[in-house]
Amino acid sequence: MKEIRQPGAHSYVFSRYLEPIAKVNPGEEVAIFTKDAFEDRITKATDIASEILGRYLNPQTGPIFVEGAEPGDTLAVHIIDIEPTRDYAVSVHLPNFGGLTGTEITRMLNEPLPEKVFMYQLADGMLTCNERLSFPWRPFLGTIGTAPDLEAVSALTPAEHGGNMDVPETKPGNIVYLPVKVPGAYFYTGDCHAGQGDGELCGTALEISAKVTLKFELIKGKEIKWPRIESPTEYMVVGSARPMEDAARIAYAELIGWMVELGWDKWEAYQALTQIGKLHVGNMVDTYYSLVAKIDKKYALSASK
Amino acid sequence: MKEIRQPGAHSYVFSRYLEPIAKVNPGEEVAIFTKDAFEDRITKATDIASEILGRYLNPQTGPIFVEGAEPGDTLAVHIIDIEPTRDYAVSVHLPNFGGLTGTEITRMLNEPLPEKVFMYQLADGMLTCNERLSFPWRPFLGTIGTAPDLEAVSALTPAEHGGNMDVPETKPGNIVYLPVKVPGAYFYTGDCHAGQGDGELCGTALEISAKVTLKFELIKGKEIKWPRIESPTEYMVVGSARPMEDAARIAYAELIGWMVELGWDKWEAYQALTQIGKLHVGNMVDTYYSLVAKIDKKYALSASK
Amino acid sequence: MKEIRQPGAHSYVFSRYLEPIAKVNPGEEVAIFTKDAFEDRITKATDIASEILGRYLNPQTGPIFVEGAEPGDTLAVHIIDIEPTRDYAVSVHLPNFGGLTGTEITRMLNEPLPEKVFMYQLADGMLTCNERLSFPWRPFLGTIGTAPDLEAVSALTPAEHGGNMDVPETKPGNIVYLPVKVPGAYFYTGDCHAGQGDGELCGTALEISAKVTLKFELIKGKEIKWPRIESPTEYMVVGSARPMEDAARIAYAELIGWMVELGWDKWEAYQALTQIGKLHVGNMVDTYYSLVAKIDKKYALSASK
Amino acid sequence: MKEIRQPGAHSYVFSRYLEPIAKVNPGEEVAIFTKDAFEDRITKATDIASEILGRYLNPQTGPIFVEGAEPGDTLAVHIIDIEPTRDYAVSVHLPNFGGLTGTEITRMLNEPLPEKVFMYQLADGMLTCNERLSFPWRPFLGTIGTAPDLEAVSALTPAEHGGNMDVPETKPGNIVYLPVKVPGAYFYTGDCHAGQGDGELCGTALEISAKVTLKFELIKGKEIKWPRIESPTEYMVVGSARPMEDAARIAYAELIGWMVELGWDKWEAYQALTQIGKLHVGNMVDTYYSLVAKIDKKYALSASK
């Protein structure tokens, strides 16, 4: 299996303006190595994150050129496996970052929260910091996306192209559908999480470096506006925006669109999601908040019966 | 078992300024009869909701005086059972109401969405409108709360006192904790839903009239700021606000407070919810949005080991 | 001229459930005495506001019964004069209150901002705390409103009924139009400000007690949804909501409605406000934010030429 | 005077990844030619904007390389003059764009608003569409900014780098201060408006092509985070974010920072802006909303007396 490692500096943007670091073919399974959101710089509980960290966070491996991908296609990324490349994860309380603190966007005059590093040992399927902070291994890709058409977007941002969505559904066994906006798609991924609660409340999950096994497929001539996810049992859309209600609106509006593609009348789809849809918060800390709207396939497919 | 029916007009506010319709004792189990959110006025698919409905929506049964309740106590409401009092539920697409339309608050110049009534037959544990719109019986109380201290709050509004939270967790088997702000608590409930998806997207769930069996208990001298819910396996807080991120902040901040009561250090609780908390949208349609933050008891109780 | 003083405790709600303290006739000019937002309790720079203040803030004088007012009418309140009843104003930095700090609604884990009392001496048309903090006398009514139909609304809240709008345009020389929802209108006012910047950034303006001279008129059978203000040169609407963009939408949508009443085509009104409307922030600190949308009469009246 | 015209296609991003089209020296006065937001494609009232317009809106002239500019400097742009290069302006009601309609971000299921083109003739200092829609010539630069450090940002977006702020204060006589993030600053401007109300309500102002006379100066080693504006009488900061309250927070927090640079104590600056600050809405339609916070120099400079 082809292994893809970032040859030089990692990317901190989802950008068409960089040179591809590798090429993959549709149908090909590849292993991609990712650094953690702190560029693997934090290694012990006594590290002072704000001194150690570089200028940018969330290094991405990419861009990866997908042969045959053209604007107007959809890139289907099958997440086959996520393996840790070390035996610990890190979470950090950073100043002016997180869901219950003033930030660079929600500006406050209050003093920042205290910094703190939490080191978690990975063993027996558990990540354990201490006897209270011990959680199961539930790995997923914090960041996954393609290059936008025109913009170069920070690796901290989730948007139409995917990016830093921080939703636990981008996990092994699921398929992530991403819009292709440039020839070759320019795929990036990184920011693996060994686990995360809804909202990623303090702003950093159980951050790990990882070996990620993916398979790419192209759906030619199929355009989607926002990232979609398919699990064995559910269809999902991720909406990212501020305020949070706009992320919710995008997620559900796009899921209605998907249901219409599946044969639903628009108003019946609106009604169905009212009664059976699911909507949870992926992140409430990034430059845009990400929410995931879902419908169980057994309901979604009832219109085509 | 004592049965409580509204003697005259139902209440459309959570208010201390009304006369109690019944008294209950702590520990007593009572059956409360509730009308649906449309005051049971919509009975067939051809009804024009905007013509039939009265001036106010969401009639409440109450206030019910809880003996011994004093400001500064917490009222624990055990939801024992919800039985339908008819064999159908109703959902309606109303003009300028819902999650994907301009509303009285999010004002737009667009034409309103088309009105439509969906009638669901209840049989064999399913609510069925047609072959596509058929969903399981998952009853809960859309509205449950006490009277605020000073204000009289619309039955359409969720806030610190509970009220129109529209979260599926106020269901049989769970305990809802509400702040007591006035002597006797002045409890109200109504707006039963035979089922609902996250967000209550179109603004109306599977609305039913019901017989609700509740048991009340008092936790004397225990003050809470926001409604809490306990299931057999989880602790939860409901936050209600606009924009939606403020509802999320309230829910998680109060859940941290609860965890501190359980013996947690504040920063470790913040860290734990980052990695294992749950956060989903109850409603994205009411005057305030309601989100539910949760933690599994097995994690929540680890601090007291 | 009739003088109206609160006979007992002031009101902390806009409520129909209280007994009127006075009656006024349309066309009658009356003097109303108001306490400051702190109930006149803070009198020196060394006072510790959080210890001195009572349970509620923003005492209102009222309700005042307006003879002949019926639901569906509009109450026109001419603000004739505001005279201070003391020679100082007070502003206070309170914990967890203000525009650049976490609050009870925008919950944060940060430590609160430091408390601080600013005493301003009123002399020669200036309010002076020190040589840097010295501002002109620009008095207005922070709070002015009628009783809602069904709800009793906190005196800290601005909404359809007016209330705690904290917009500098409710000042002498202007007319405030308020919806009448209950027989007698149940008018309240209070919270006079000797001056205030846009946004009322720290949450408290130059707070004074005052003698307010008003004249009431009724516009029979004229319904308005949101408070309107007329100055000698401008028409204005105050929208109050969260998030702030919803307050902006309400203010401009209602101003379009007013222009349509003046003979405008809806789409031309939308276009006109795009090019010549004004929109500023009244408060960014209250339970709802208040924004004022305006159009100069010379443009507004061009449709009826 | 050097004249700068876009040699090929205009830019639709603020990007460091493009080749400079011209170089300017600090102190040099140059004339820059800009197209209107529609790339000058709409020329008559019967044009159907949604058919005529290209894929992107808001063409920029640039990047312009400022000799000697280095990251960490501030670029001071003196706006000397804005002259129209044609005798008409255009405003358009576009589908799913504007302040009182569902948009790509605030997703709704409602039908879009009707499209409409408004042609305004420029004569005698007035822009006149018809007898109701006739407004004075008040030109300003809708878009002005530098290239961000890492990202390439759409010309529709206002942010730290300036960009599509749509605030009327970027007008002749004022100085706009922009952060320099890349060597040469990579300055862009465009989107001239012959006039605009607060909020740019329908989403398009009085759009014109123009000849813009600017003079650039560098403040070496001076870092600013957000765009500042200086008029002969006021200091201003533009904050851009969603929800709107976050734009307000940024604008006022940065203005406090500026006042601290001028010698103010932080808490006194907070207090001063509470009593004398100004805060109005620039745009309520772009990808981020822009608000302008201001203080009169006579107050701002009192701390250094």
Side-chain angles (χ1 to χ4, degrees):
Chain A
M1 188 164 50
K2 186 189 294 183
E3 296 197 338
I4 298 174
R5 286 178 175 79
Q6 194 73 8
H10 285 73
S11 175
Y12 289 93
V13 278
F14 284 76
S15 168
R16 66 183 303 166
Y17 305 108
L18 299 173
E19 282 302 306
I21 61 159
K23 293 198 176 193
V24 298
N25 288 304
E28 189 181 358
E29 215 172 293
V30 298
I32 301 173
F33 288 81
T34 64
K35 287 201 172 175
D36 79 12
F38 310 116
E39 211 164 321
D40 298 351
R41 295 185 185 201
I42 299 178
T43 57
K44 53 188 188 299
T46 52
D47 283 342
I48 312 274
S50 61
E51 293 175 4
I52 286 176
L53 296 178
R55 185 164 185 178
Y56 307 116
L57 291 180
N58 231 14
Q60 299 300 306
T61 303
I64 295 169
F65 189 97
V66 182
E67 297 285 359
E70 293 294 331
D73 297 342
T74 287
L75 180 66
V77 185
H78 297 252
I79 306 178
I80 311 289
D81 196 16
I82 298 176
E83 296 164 81
T85 55
R86 66 186 191 206
D87 65 354
Y88 66 91
V90 185
S91 182
V92 181
H93 295 181
L94 292 165
N96 300 319
F97 187 61
L100 291 175
T101 175
T103 66
E104 290 301 306
I105 299 174
T106 304
R107 290 284 293 274
M108 300 288 168
L109 296 179
N110 305 73
E111 289 299 309
L113 303 186
E115 274 192 59
K116 194 164 167 55
V117 170
F118 296 84
M119 300 298 300
Y120 289 82
Q121 197 64 32
L122 173 58
D124 303 325
M126 294 295 289
L127 292 125
T128 302
C129 175
N130 60 34
E131 57 187 359
R132 296 167 299 286
L133 300 172
S134 181
F135 309 111
W137 167 249
R138 297 152 292 151
F140 70 94
L141 304 172
T143 310
I144 177 171
T146 51
D149 185 14
L150 202 59
E151 293 192 293
V153 174
S154 163
L156 295 171
T157 295
E160 288 93 333
H161 69 295
N164 191 31
M165 298 183 286
D166 287 324
V167 302
E169 285 81 4
T170 49
K171 70 176 183 185
N174 288 356
I175 307 167
V176 182
Y177 298 99
L178 298 166
V180 177
K181 292 293 186 180
V182 304
Y186 280 52
F187 176 83
Y188 298 78
T189 192
D191 187 28
C192 283
H193 292 170
Q196 181 199 293
D198 287 353
E200 200 185 9
L201 187 59
C202 82
T204 61
L206 298 168
E207 310 286 341
I208 49 165
S209 57
K211 176 187 173 190
V212 179
T213 306
L214 303 178
K215 189 177 77 177
F216 297 91
E217 284 184 332
L218 285 174
I219 309 175
K220 297 298 295 178
K222 162 81 178 170
E223 270 195 87
I224 58 173
K225 288 178 87 167
W226 284 87
R228 297 176 175 185
I229 304 174
E230 183 177 347
S231 80
T233 59
E234 291 174 316
Y235 296 123
M236 306 174 236
V237 176
V238 185
S240 299
R242 289 192 178 211
M244 196 183 278
E245 52 264 40
D246 277 350
R249 287 169 177 142
I250 289 167
Y252 263 142
E254 288 289 320
L255 190 51
I256 288 174
W258 195 351
M259 291 168 71
V260 168
E261 294 171 20
L262 293 170
W264 283 79
D265 167 76
K266 179 169 74 166
W267 304 117
E268 287 207 349
Y270 187 43
Q271 173 64 206
L273 291 175
T274 300
Q275 311 308 350
I276 208 71
K278 291 288 174 192
L279 181 63
H280 79 97
V281 179
N283 95 71
M284 56 184 277
V285 295
D286 295 325
T287 49
Y288 295 113
Y289 307 125
S290 293
L291 270 71
V292 185
K294 307 183 182 184
I295 186 168
D296 197 296
K297 285 182 180 178
K298 105 179 130 184
Y299 297 109
L301 297 174
S302 68
S304 51
K305 273 186 227 164
Chain B
M1 188 164 49
K2 186 190 293 182
E3 296 196 338
I4 298 175
R5 287 179 175 78
Q6 194 74 8
H10 285 74
S11 175
Y12 289 93
V13 278
F14 284 76
S15 168
R16 66 183 301 166
Y17 305 107
L18 299 174
E19 281 302 305
I21 61 159
K23 293 198 175 191
V24 298
N25 288 304
E28 190 182 358
E29 215 172 292
V30 298
I32 300 173
F33 288 81
T34 63
K35 287 202 172 175
D36 78 13
F38 310 117
E39 211 165 321
D40 298 352
R41 295 183 186 203
I42 300 178
T43 57
K44 53 187 187 301
T46 51
D47 283 342
I48 311 275
S50 61
E51 293 175 4
I52 285 176
L53 296 178
R55 183 162 186 179
Y56 307 116
L57 291 181
N58 231 14
Q60 300 300 306
T61 302
I64 295 169
F65 189 97
V66 181
E67 296 285 359
E70 292 295 331
D73 297 342
T74 288
L75 181 65
V77 186
H78 298 252
I79 305 177
I80 312 288
D81 197 16
I82 298 176
E83 297 164 82
T85 55
R86 67 187 190 205
D87 65 355
Y88 65 91
V90 186
S91 183
V92 182
H93 295 181
L94 292 164
N96 300 319
F97 188 60
L100 291 176
T101 174
T103 65
E104 290 301 305
I105 300 174
T106 303
R107 291 286 291 275
M108 301 287 168
L109 296 179
N110 305 73
E111 289 300 308
L113 302 186
E115 274 193 61
K116 193 163 169 55
V117 170
F118 296 84
M119 301 298 300
Y120 288 83
Q121 197 64 31
L122 173 58
D124 302 325
M126 295 295 289
L127 291 125
T128 303
C129 176
N130 59 35
E131 55 187 0
R132 295 167 300 287
L133 300 171
S134 180
F135 309 112
W137 168 249
R138 298 152 292 151
F140 70 94
L141 304 171
T143 310
I144 177 171
T146 52
D149 186 13
L150 203 58
E151 293 190 293
V153 174
S154 163
L156 295 172
T157 295
E160 288 93 333
H161 68 296
N164 192 31
M165 299 182 284
D166 287 322
V167 302
E169 285 81 4
T170 50
K171 69 177 182 183
N174 288 356
I175 308 167
V176 182
Y177 297 99
L178 298 166
V180 177
K181 293 293 188 181
V182 304
Y186 281 51
F187 176 83
Y188 298 79
T189 192
D191 188 27
C192 284
H193 292 171
Q196 181 199 293
D198 286 353
E200 199 184 10
L201 187 59
C202 83
T204 62
L206 298 167
E207 311 285 341
I208 50 165
S209 58
K211 176 186 173 191
V212 179
T213 306
L214 303 178
K215 189 177 77 176
F216 297 91
E217 284 183 334
L218 284 174
I219 308 175
K220 297 297 295 179
K222 162 82 178 170
E223 271 195 85
I224 58 173
K225 288 178 88 167
W226 284 88
R228 297 176 176 185
I229 303 175
E230 183 178 347
S231 80
T233 59
E234 291 174 316
Y235 296 123
M236 305 173 237
V237 177
V238 186
S240 299
R242 287 193 180 210
M244 196 183 278
E245 52 264 41
D246 277 351
R249 287 169 178 142
I250 289 167
Y252 262 142
E254 288 290 319
L255 189 51
I256 289 174
W258 195 350
M259 289 169 72
V260 168
E261 294 171 22
L262 293 170
W264 284 79
D265 166 75
K266 180 169 72 167
W267 304 117
E268 287 207 349
Y270 187 42
Q271 173 64 207
L273 290 175
T274 300
Q275 311 308 349
I276 208 71
K278 292 286 173 192
L279 181 63
H280 79 96
V281 179
N283 94 71
M284 56 184 278
V285 296
D286 294 325
T287 50
Y288 295 114
Y289 308 124
S290 293
L291 270 71
V292 185
K294 307 183 181 184
I295 186 169
D296 198 295
K297 285 182 181 178
K298 106 179 129 182
Y299 297 108
L301 296 173
S302 68
S304 53
K305 275 184 222 166
Chain C
M1 188 164 49
K2 186 190 293 183
E3 295 196 339
I4 298 174
R5 287 178 175 79
Q6 194 74 8
H10 286 73
S11 175
Y12 290 92
V13 278
F14 284 76
S15 168
R16 66 184 300 165
Y17 306 107
L18 299 174
E19 281 303 305
I21 62 159
K23 293 198 177 192
V24 298
N25 287 305
E28 190 181 358
E29 214 171 295
V30 298
I32 300 172
F33 288 82
T34 63
K35 287 201 172 177
D36 79 14
F38 310 117
E39 210 165 322
D40 298 351
R41 292 182 187 204
I42 300 178
T43 56
K44 53 188 187 300
T46 52
D47 284 342
I48 312 277
S50 60
E51 294 175 3
I52 286 176
L53 296 178
R55 185 164 185 178
Y56 307 115
L57 291 181
N58 231 14
Q60 300 301 307
T61 302
I64 295 168
F65 189 98
V66 181
E67 297 284 0
E70 292 294 332
D73 297 343
T74 288
L75 180 65
V77 185
H78 298 251
I79 305 177
I80 312 288
D81 196 16
I82 298 175
E83 296 164 80
T85 55
R86 67 187 189 207
D87 64 355
Y88 66 91
V90 185
S91 183
V92 181
H93 295 180
L94 291 165
N96 300 319
F97 188 62
L100 291 176
T101 174
T103 66
E104 290 301 305
I105 299 174
T106 303
R107 291 285 293 274
M108 301 287 168
L109 297 179
N110 306 72
E111 289 300 308
L113 302 186
E115 274 192 59
K116 193 163 168 55
V117 170
F118 296 84
M119 301 297 301
Y120 289 83
Q121 197 64 33
L122 173 57
D124 303 324
M126 295 296 287
L127 291 125
T128 302
C129 175
N130 59 36
E131 55 187 359
R132 295 167 300 287
L133 300 172
S134 181
F135 309 112
W137 168 249
R138 296 151 294 151
F140 70 95
L141 304 172
T143 310
I144 178 170
T146 52
D149 185 13
L150 203 59
E151 293 190 294
V153 174
S154 163
L156 296 172
T157 295
E160 288 93 333
H161 69 294
N164 192 30
M165 297 182 285
D166 287 324
V167 301
E169 284 81 4
T170 50
K171 70 176 183 184
N174 288 356
I175 308 167
V176 182
Y177 297 99
L178 298 166
V180 177
K181 293 292 187 180
V182 303
Y186 280 53
F187 175 83
Y188 297 79
T189 193
D191 188 26
C192 283
H193 292 171
Q196 181 199 292
D198 287 353
E200 200 185 9
L201 187 58
C202 83
T204 61
L206 298 167
E207 310 285 341
I208 50 165
S209 58
K211 176 187 174 191
V212 178
T213 307
L214 303 178
K215 189 176 75 175
F216 297 91
E217 284 183 332
L218 285 173
I219 309 174
K220 297 298 294 179
K222 162 81 178 171
E223 270 195 87
I224 58 173
K225 288 178 88 169
W226 283 88
R228 297 177 176 184
I229 304 175
E230 182 178 347
S231 79
T233 59
E234 292 173 315
Y235 296 122
M236 305 174 237
V237 176
V238 186
S240 298
R242 289 192 180 212
M244 196 182 278
E245 51 264 41
D246 277 350
R249 288 169 177 141
I250 290 167
Y252 262 141
E254 288 290 320
L255 190 51
I256 288 174
W258 195 349
M259 289 168 72
V260 168
E261 293 171 22
L262 293 171
W264 283 79
D265 167 75
K266 180 169 72 166
W267 303 118
E268 287 207 348
Y270 188 41
Q271 173 64 207
L273 290 175
T274 299
Q275 311 308 350
I276 208 71
K278 291 287 171 191
L279 180 64
H280 79 97
V281 179
N283 94 70
M284 56 183 279
V285 295
D286 294 326
T287 50
Y288 295 114
Y289 307 125
S290 294
L291 270 71
V292 185
K294 308 183 181 182
I295 186 169
D296 197 296
K297 285 182 180 178
K298 106 179 127 181
Y299 297 108
L301 297 173
S302 68
S304 52
K305 273 186 230 166
Chain D
M1 187 164 49
K2 185 190 293 183
E3 295 196 339
I4 298 174
R5 287 178 175 79
Q6 194 75 7
H10 286 72
S11 175
Y12 288 93
V13 279
F14 284 76
S15 168
R16 65 183 301 165
Y17 305 108
L18 299 174
E19 282 302 307
I21 61 159
K23 293 198 176 193
V24 298
N25 287 304
E28 190 181 357
E29 217 172 294
V30 298
I32 300 173
F33 288 82
T34 64
K35 287 202 170 175
D36 79 13
F38 309 117
E39 210 164 321
D40 299 351
R41 295 184 186 202
I42 300 178
T43 56
K44 54 188 187 298
T46 52
D47 283 342
I48 312 277
S50 61
E51 295 175 3
I52 286 177
L53 296 178
R55 185 163 186 178
Y56 307 115
L57 291 180
N58 230 14
Q60 299 300 308
T61 303
I64 295 169
F65 190 96
V66 181
E67 297 284 0
E70 292 295 331
D73 296 342
T74 288
L75 180 66
V77 186
H78 297 253
I79 306 177
I80 311 289
D81 196 17
I82 297 176
E83 295 164 81
T85 55
R86 68 187 189 205
D87 65 354
Y88 65 91
V90 185
S91 183
V92 181
H93 295 180
L94 292 165
N96 301 318
F97 187 62
L100 291 175
T101 174
T103 66
E104 290 301 306
I105 299 174
T106 304
R107 290 285 292 274
M108 301 287 168
L109 297 179
N110 306 73
E111 289 299 309
L113 302 186
E115 274 193 61
K116 194 165 168 52
V117 170
F118 296 84
M119 300 298 299
Y120 288 82
Q121 197 64 32
L122 172 57
D124 303 325
M126 295 296 288
L127 291 125
T128 303
C129 174
N130 60 35
E131 57 187 359
R132 295 167 300 286
L133 299 172
S134 181
F135 310 112
W137 167 249
R138 297 151 293 150
F140 70 95
L141 304 171
T143 310
I144 177 171
T146 52
D149 186 13
L150 203 59
E151 293 191 294
V153 175
S154 162
L156 295 171
T157 295
E160 288 92 333
H161 69 295
N164 192 31
M165 299 183 285
D166 287 323
V167 301
E169 284 81 4
T170 48
K171 69 176 183 184
N174 289 356
I175 307 168
V176 181
Y177 298 99
L178 298 166
V180 177
K181 292 293 187 181
V182 303
Y186 280 51
F187 176 83
Y188 298 79
T189 193
D191 188 26
C192 283
H193 292 171
Q196 182 198 294
D198 287 353
E200 200 186 7
L201 187 59
C202 82
T204 60
L206 299 167
E207 310 286 341
I208 49 164
S209 57
K211 176 187 173 190
V212 179
T213 306
L214 304 179
K215 190 176 75 176
F216 297 91
E217 284 183 332
L218 285 173
I219 309 175
K220 297 297 296 178
K222 163 80 178 171
E223 272 195 84
I224 58 174
K225 288 177 88 168
W226 284 87
R228 298 177 175 184
I229 304 174
E230 183 178 347
S231 80
T233 59
E234 291 173 316
Y235 296 122
M236 305 174 237
V237 176
V238 185
S240 299
R242 289 193 178 210
M244 197 183 278
E245 51 265 39
D246 277 351
R249 287 170 178 140
I250 290 167
Y252 262 142
E254 288 290 320
L255 190 51
I256 288 174
W258 194 352
M259 289 168 71
V260 168
E261 294 171 21
L262 293 171
W264 284 79
D265 167 76
K266 179 169 73 166
W267 304 117
E268 287 207 348
Y270 187 43
Q271 173 64 207
L273 290 175
T274 300
Q275 311 308 350
I276 208 71
K278 291 288 172 191
L279 181 63
H280 79 96
V281 179
N283 94 70
M284 55 185 279
V285 295
D286 295 326
T287 51
Y288 295 114
Y289 307 125
S290 294
L291 269 71
V292 185
K294 308 184 182 184
I295 186 168
D296 197 295
K297 285 182 180 177
K298 107 180 126 181
Y299 297 108
L301 296 174
S302 67
S304 52
K305 274 183 222 165

